[in-house]
């Protein structure tokens, strides 16, 4: 009675193609269409054969069913080691971490704890710089020099997205948010600084940001032993640094604390003063990867994610605002749109100079433009006894170097410690194209003629 | 199919008890369903200028006041992402000839959306999908609708499944396959960034599907966001999500291995994050796993911020060069984000064999064309657990607090 659905499907596909291409020779077109279909089906089939014979699971479907997030179905076959004739060696082919081979066979169970990551790894506790009980983490010197830091046991499952709470930048007109500041002794501040120094989330901060972040760490007292600070599997909002006392760290294989006496799993480490834990919570609220329990009365410093990210965001935002307002004052840039100016603000690089350091030397060929972000500087010229000019915050110089390769007309020397934001000619061109053509849009001489 | 039958019966009963006003709606609904079936038959993609029309003028992408959950039979779960469940769906009580008309229905429970703090994101998702509907490489949202506790997005069904599945199965793609898929994605990003001012923010093989003809369709606009380039005060390159006065906000979001350094460091971000992720994607296509990985996510982030990509020795120079250009930590030097934008990516030597016009008009034959037994064939999708029976209720309290936010869904 009715035509087979497979046929209807093929026919629909052909009709769509015909509608799209409107061929003059319909028969030849249809022939070509079906021959392409046949060819690609064969290819799919052959590829499927190869893989299913490797895995030994002769699936009827050559492509479907890799791994279901339910983890009910065990991955079939794709996580084999490198085939000999592969075009690309895996980035990790040369080096296997000790357990990699085992892991590759039970990837599905490996990820069942949640998040798609190994359990303990999710936790990221870090040893204190002085302690010898834990090996120091591999320094962040980059994977290039440390091929072994490339794990081969890549998790082949679907990856879930993460997202943290939305933050609205504190805009200049309603800037009522201020990072909380909890008083600390100079000693405490120094200890905290050391404790977070090796952590990349902190090592990238500038002095201002660091001061704000350290100030925002809040004391938390744990009056007895056996108090749980964080619990594996629960969502986390805080990062902690140990000030005083000792903490045991437990990891349960199931990814969360189970009922019963051994429910927290195995003890994997003990952390003392100067160590920190729970840093992933500073990014988003992922489930905790371990349980941490006090073993004596102790003191911690804690910092929550929203405060931390706010500090980072607001300071980046304020710096942009500052740069943009400086740039607005530069006549050379007056023809730029806000968008273009903000692109420049983006590309500015900050450099610090101590007092009495030459920033620009008279006679040198310049290729950079400077804005004085903080501090003071003076302009001098050979043969002139007195400085020609003094520069303060927001003043700019050297902008003509973006236009022409002339020697610098005078020298600029810092009189106090200064911070300058700079942009080179090449950087400018990369962002906006040739400087001259941009400037020509609004050449003052052109306007005068009108 | 038993549950479907039960649903049909109950929806019929439901309909019989309807008032006069609802009867009028009933004709409207039938009307909409007919239009859906008609659209499905052709699935015509639009030219760039047609896509740009307002959703009211396009055949697709509107918010329907009439469609309901009962207008569809849910056949099978196609996927469960981070926040939603997506079903293969057919029109309920369909005519025989509409038996082969299929859709994907993305279902989000309002309680979950609220619990996972995705209210703003879901609104963005609907609005962006509406404004891009019709693009050849983006899943078409035919319509959206809601009921008291649930949000629905009716999408075109992409029967090829996720590129993710093919990639894991094949281990890695050869250079030609990678180039083909990458080229279609460049056109998507070009369109989203340059024409729509939208940052996508969750590029990864799991969110890229293959349609019946073997071409790509980008799905999951859950993190997509308009970032107005022209008049915003933060700039496009480094964007804190447009105007603060309208209460817009900034969020860390994405997938760990694909996060751009500026997202991790929270210094503000914009469309440049997609070019970073695009570099990671090409790498994963060619190598079989992304360049930055560790069991411990913090170690991934540390590597990302460091930004040193290590290439297998056999990778071609052009491939290294394009990945290196895209995965550049400094956004002012990142390929795709420098002067010239997406055109500089298209002009890269790795794409030298690509005819970009042919790509847009789908004249190139894709390396994988799904072979299906019927329009509703789901062989390219995995099996998923049934939906949990227990559901947190969407309480009156939540309703009064949040329903306003969902009003125009
Ligand atoms: N239009 C579609 N056709 C077929 N399958 C789809 C479609 N849209 C989504 N899916 C499947 O559902 C999964 C989850 O959808 P997605 O939109 O990514 O949800 P989430 O926002 O929860 O991540 C996808 O990864 C894909 O497998
Ligand atoms: Mg998804």
């Amino acid at each position: 009675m009715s035509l087979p659905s497979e046929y209807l499907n093929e026919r629909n596909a052909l009709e769509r193609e015909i509608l799209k291409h409107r061929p003059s020779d319909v028969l030849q077109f249809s022939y070509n269409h079906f021959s392409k279909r046949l060819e690609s089906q064969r290819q799919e089939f052959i590829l499927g054969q190869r893989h299913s014979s490797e895995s030994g699971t002769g699936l009827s479907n050559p492509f479907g069913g890799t791994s279901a997030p339910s983890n009910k179905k065990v991955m079939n076959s794709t996580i084999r080691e490198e085939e000999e004739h592969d075009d690309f060696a895996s980035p990790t082919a040369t080096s296997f971490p000790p357990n990699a081979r085992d892991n590759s066979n039970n990837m599905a169970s490996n990820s069942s704890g949640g998040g798609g990551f190994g359990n303990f790894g999710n936790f990221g506790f870090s040893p204190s710089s002085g302690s010898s009980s834990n090996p120091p983490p591999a320094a962040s010197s980059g994977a290039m020099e440390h091929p072994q830091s490339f794990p081969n046991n890549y998790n082949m499952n679907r990856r879930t997205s993460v997202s943290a709470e939305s933050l609205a930048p504190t805009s200049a007109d309603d800037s009522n948010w201020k990072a909380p500041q909890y008083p600390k002794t100079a000693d405490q501040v120094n200890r905290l600084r050391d404790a977070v120094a090796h952590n990349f989330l902190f090592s990238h901060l500038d002095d201002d940001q660091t001061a704000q972040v350290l100030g925002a760490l809040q004391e938390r007292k744990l009056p007895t032993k056996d108090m749980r600070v964080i619990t594996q599997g629960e969502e986390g909002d805080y990062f902690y640094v140990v000030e005083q006392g000792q903490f045991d760290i437990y990891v349960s294989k199931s990814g969360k604390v189970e009922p019963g006496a051994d429910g927290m799993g195995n003890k994997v480490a003990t952390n003392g003063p100067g160590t920190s834990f729970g840093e992933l919570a500073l990014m988003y609220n992922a489930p905790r990867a371990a349980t941490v329990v006090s073993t004596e009365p102790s003191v911690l410093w804690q910092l929550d994610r929203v405060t931390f990210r706010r500090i980072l965001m607001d300071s980046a935002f304020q710096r942009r605002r500052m740069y943009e307002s400086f740039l607005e004052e530069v006549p050379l840039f007056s023809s730029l749109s806000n968008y273009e100016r903000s692109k420049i603000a983006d590309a500015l690089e900050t450099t610090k100079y101590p007092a009495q350091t030459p920033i620009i030397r008279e006679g040198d060929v310049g290729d950079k433009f400077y804005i004085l972000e903080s501090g003071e500087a003076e302009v001098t010229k050979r043969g002139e006894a007195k400085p020609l000019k003094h520069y303060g915050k927001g003043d700019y110089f050297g902008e003509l170097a973006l236009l022409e390769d002339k020697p610098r007309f005078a020298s600029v020397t810092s009189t106090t410690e200064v911070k300058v934001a700079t942009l080179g000619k090449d950087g400018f061109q990369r962002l906006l194209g040739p400087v001259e053509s941009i400037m020509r849009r609004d050449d003052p001489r052109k306007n005068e003629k009108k | 199919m038993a549950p479907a039958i039960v649903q049909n019966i109950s929806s019929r009963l439901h309909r019989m008890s309807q008032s006069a006003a609802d009867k009028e709606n009933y004709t409207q609904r039938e009307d909409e369903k007919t239009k859906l079936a008609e659209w499905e038959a052709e699935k015509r993609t639009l030219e760039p200028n047609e896509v740009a029309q307002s959703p009211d003028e396009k055949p697709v992408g509107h918010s329907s006041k009439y469609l309901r959950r009962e207008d569809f039979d849910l056949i099978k779960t196609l996927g469960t992402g981070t926040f939603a469940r997506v079903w293969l769906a057919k029109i309920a009580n369909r005519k025989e000839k509409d038996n082969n008309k299929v859709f994907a229905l993305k279902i989000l429970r309002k309680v979950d959306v609220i619990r996972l703090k995705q209210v703003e994101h879901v609104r963005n998702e609907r609005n962006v999908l509406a404004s891009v509907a019709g693009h050849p490489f983006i899943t078409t949202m035919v319509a959206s609708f809601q009921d008291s506790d649930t949000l629905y997005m009716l999408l075109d069904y992409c029967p090829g499944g996720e590129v993710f599945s093919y990639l894991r199965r094949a281990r890695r793609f050869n250079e030609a396959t990678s180039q083909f898929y990458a080229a279609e994605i460049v056109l998507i990003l070009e369109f989203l960034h340059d024409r729509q001012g939208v940052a996508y923010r969750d590029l990864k093989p799991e969110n890229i599907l293959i349609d019946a003809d073997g071409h790509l369709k980008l799905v999951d606009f859950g993190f997509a966001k308009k970032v107005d380039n022209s008049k915003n005060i933060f700039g496009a390159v480094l964007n804190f999500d447009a105007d603060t006065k309208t209460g817009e906000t900034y969020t860390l979001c994405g997938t760990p291995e694909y996060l751009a350094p500026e997202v991790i460091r929270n210094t503000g971000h914009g469309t440049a994050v997609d070019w970073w992720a695009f570099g990671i994607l090409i790498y994963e296509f060619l190598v079989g796993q992304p360049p930055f990985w560790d069991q411990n996510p913090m170690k991934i982030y540390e590597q990302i911020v460091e930004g040193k990509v290590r290439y297998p020795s056999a990778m071609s120079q052009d491939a290294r060069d394009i990945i290196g250009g895209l995965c550049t930590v400094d956004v002012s030097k990142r390929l795709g984000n420098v002067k010239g934008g997406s055109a500089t990516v298209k002009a890269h030597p790795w794409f030298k064999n690509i005819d970009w016009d042919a790509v847009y008009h789908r004249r190139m034959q894709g390396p994988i064309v799904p072979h299906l037994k019927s329009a509703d064939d789901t062989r390219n999708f995995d099996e998923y657990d049934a939906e949990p029976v227990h559901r947190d209720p969407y309480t009156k309290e939540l309703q009064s607090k949040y329903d306003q936010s969902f009003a125009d869904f």
Side-chain angles (χ1 to χ4, degrees), chain B residues 371-386:
Chain B
H371 284 83
L372 308 165
K373 277 227 159 11
S374 56
D376 58 5
D377 194 340
T378 57
R379 66 172 66 193
N380 294 312
F381 290 86
D382 290 334
E383 295 296 323
Y384 290 83
D385 286 346

Side-chain angles (χ1 to χ4, degrees), chain B residues 31-262:
Chain B
D31 214 44
E32 286 223 25
K33 281 154 70 177
T34 314
K35 285 207 187 105
L36 292 180
E38 281 169 15
W39 177 83
E40 207 276 356
E42 246 197 280
K43 290 196 179 164
R44 191 171 68 89
T45 57
L46 306 178
E47 286 297 312
N49 57 325
E50 296 176 294
V51 179
Q53 294 168 25
S54 102
D56 307 333
E57 280 147 47
K58 286 195 286 193
V60 284
H62 68 292
S63 163
S64 171
K65 296 280 161 293
Y66 306 110
L67 288 176
R68 301 182 182 184
R69 156 76 188 75
E70 297 82 21
D71 291 326
F72 300 92
D73 289 340
L74 304 188
I75 313 286
K76 185 174 190 286
T77 298
L78 296 170
T80 60
T82 315
F83 311 112
R85 181 172 282 256
V86 178
W87 291 82
L88 181 74
K90 292 189 182 186
I91 297 170
N93 313 311
R94 58 194 164 270
K95 305 185 189 82
E96 163 88 39
K97 73 172 172 53
D98 289 340
N99 227 346
N100 60 350
K101 306 280 189 297
V102 285
F103 299 90
L105 190 62
K106 179 165 178 172
I107 301 184
L108 296 120
R109 308 269 165 215
K110 289 179 188 173
V111 235
D112 295 339
V113 171
I114 294 164
R115 181 172 46 83
L116 298 164
K117 306 190 176 101
Q118 299 298 314
V119 177
E120 194 188 327
H121 285 162
V122 165
R123 294 174 43 153
N124 290 340
E125 176 170 19
R126 198 217 81 88
N127 293 338
V128 172
L129 275 176
S131 67
V132 302
H135 189 275
F137 305 124
I138 295 175
T139 185
T140 303
M141 183 179 78
V142 194
S144 66
F145 56 98
Q146 64 174 307
D147 56 32
S148 58
D149 61 0
T150 310
L151 305 170
Y152 304 88
M153 283 177 268
L154 190 68
L155 310 166
D156 58 336
Y157 171 50
C158 308
E162 297 167 14
V163 165
F164 174 85
S165 307
Y166 296 89
L167 180 60
R168 288 291 179 268
R169 181 57 61 98
R171 184 68 159 104
R172 62 181 73 91
F173 292 153
N174 64 25
E175 200 135 3
T177 299
S178 305
Q179 277 158 357
F180 176 86
Y181 290 137
E184 296 199 337
I185 290 162
V186 170
L187 292 187
I188 301 172
L189 295 182
E190 172 178 51
F191 170 78
L192 288 178
H193 295 175
D194 301 354
R195 307 271 309 220
Q196 297 280 330
V198 162
Y200 174 70
R201 305 201 292 185
D202 203 13
L203 197 61
K204 57 176 168 179
E206 290 89 327
N207 285 340
I208 306 167
L209 271 55
I210 293 182
D211 71 14
D213 304 324
H215 294 283
L216 296 187
K217 286 265 197 268
L218 191 62
V219 302
D220 195 357
F221 278 62
F223 294 150
K225 166 127 196 142
K226 248 200 163 76
V227 288
D228 192 343
N229 285 354
S230 54
K231 57 173 190 281
N232 87 68
I233 42 175
F234 307 92
V237 190
L238 208 66
N239 193 299
F240 292 93
D241 288 7
D243 193 348
T244 49
K245 290 216 182 78
T246 61
E248 291 210 57
T249 51
Y250 165 79
T251 312
L252 177 153
C253 61
T255 295
E257 289 94 318
Y258 280 78
L259 290 181
E262 64 270 26

Side-chain angles (χ1 to χ4, degrees), chain A residues 113-289:
Chain A
F117 293 104
N119 280 332
F120 189 59
N122 215 350
F123 178 56
F125 76 95
S126 10
S128 84
S129 25
S131 149
S132 61
S133 59
N134 298 310
S140 60
S141 44
M144 310 293 267
E145 301 90 64
H146 293 275
Q148 70 273 21
S149 66
F150 263 108
N152 178 269
N153 51 342
Y154 183 64
N155 185 331
M156 294 306 207
N157 288 333
R158 282 197 181 75
R159 295 152 292 198
T160 48
S161 313
V162 296
S163 96
E165 36 288 279
S166 303
L167 298 177
T170 318
S171 60
D173 18 281
D174 62 356
S175 56
N176 32 31
W177 188 84
K178 275 235 160 11
Q181 292 287 316
Y182 300 100
K184 293 175 190 74
T185 67
D187 251 17
Q188 287 174 327
V189 172
N190 283 336
R191 275 203 299 278
L192 280 173
R193 197 189 304 275
D194 284 349
V196 299
H198 60 267
N199 184 319
F200 80 96
L201 279 180
F202 297 88
S203 56
H204 281 275
L205 306 184
D206 66 24
D207 298 349
D208 258 16
Q209 291 171 320
T210 308
Q212 281 194 61
V213 166
L214 296 183
L217 279 152
Q218 187 183 9
E219 191 178 65
R220 168 144 167 222
K221 290 199 164 94
L222 298 157
T224 64
K225 70 185 189 97
D226 290 335
M227 288 185 73
R228 262 191 217 175
V229 183
I230 64 177
T231 305
Q232 192 179 1
E234 286 184 1
E235 292 188 345
D237 296 327
Y238 284 90
F239 162 74
Y240 301 92
V241 179
V242 182
E243 167 80 6
Q244 240 177 69
Q246 292 284 335
F247 294 86
D248 281 347
I249 299 174
Y250 296 87
V251 173
S252 151
K253 286 230 162 56
S254 69
K256 60 183 203 317
V257 173
E258 300 295 335
D262 300 328
M264 296 192 299
N266 295 328
K267 186 161 114 186
V268 295
T270 300
N271 273 10
T275 59
S276 58
F277 53 86
E279 67 212 36
L280 188 59
L282 293 177
M283 303 270 306
Y284 43 83
N285 55 355
R288 298 289 195 187

Side-chain angles (χ1 to χ4, degrees), chain B residues 217-393:
Chain B
K217 286 265 197 268
L218 191 62
V219 302
D220 195 357
F221 278 62
F223 294 150
K225 166 127 196 142
K226 248 200 163 76
V227 288
D228 192 343
N229 285 354
S230 54
K231 57 173 190 281
N232 87 68
I233 42 175
F234 307 92
V237 190
L238 208 66
N239 193 299
F240 292 93
D241 288 7
D243 193 348
T244 49
K245 290 216 182 78
T246 61
E248 291 210 57
T249 51
Y250 165 79
T251 312
L252 177 153
C253 61
T255 295
E257 289 94 318
Y258 280 78
L259 290 181
E262 64 270 26
V263 175
I264 294 166
R265 294 183 53 190
N266 221 46
T267 49
H269 66 253
T271 52
V273 301
D274 290 336
W275 293 116
W276 173 279
F278 181 54
I280 305 287
L281 185 74
I282 295 177
Y283 189 101
E284 185 166 332
F285 280 171
L286 292 169
V287 176
Q289 67 181 61
F292 306 118
W293 196 73
D294 194 284
Q295 291 260 329
N296 175 354
M298 287 311 283
K299 288 269 186 294
I300 302 182
Y301 303 138
E302 192 170 342
Q303 291 176 34
I304 291 173
V305 169
E306 191 86 15
K308 283 188 190 145
V309 181
R310 216 174 141 253
Y311 304 100
S313 53
M315 192 187 283
S316 74
Q317 197 49 53
D318 284 345
R320 287 165 196 240
D321 195 75
I322 193 168
I323 293 167
L326 294 163
C327 296
T328 298
V329 174
D330 183 345
V331 287
S332 72
K333 296 182 182 152
R334 188 175 302 161
L335 183 61
N337 196 48
V338 293
K339 163 100 186 143
S342 49
T344 57
V345 181
K346 288 159 91 173
H348 190 277
W350 194 62
F351 284 125
K352 62 178 173 287
N353 298 324
I354 300 288
D355 170 353
W356 291 99
D357 189 59
V359 175
Y360 187 89
H361 290 100
R362 301 164 62 101
R363 288 198 304 268
M364 317 245 301
Q365 162 93 39
I368 300 161
V369 182
H371 284 83
L372 308 165
K373 277 227 159 11
S374 56
D376 58 5
D377 194 340
T378 57
R379 66 172 66 193
N380 294 312
F381 290 86
D382 290 334
E383 295 296 323
Y384 290 83
D385 286 346
E387 215 171 358
V389 204
H390 172 79
R391 241 184 257 149
D392 293 339

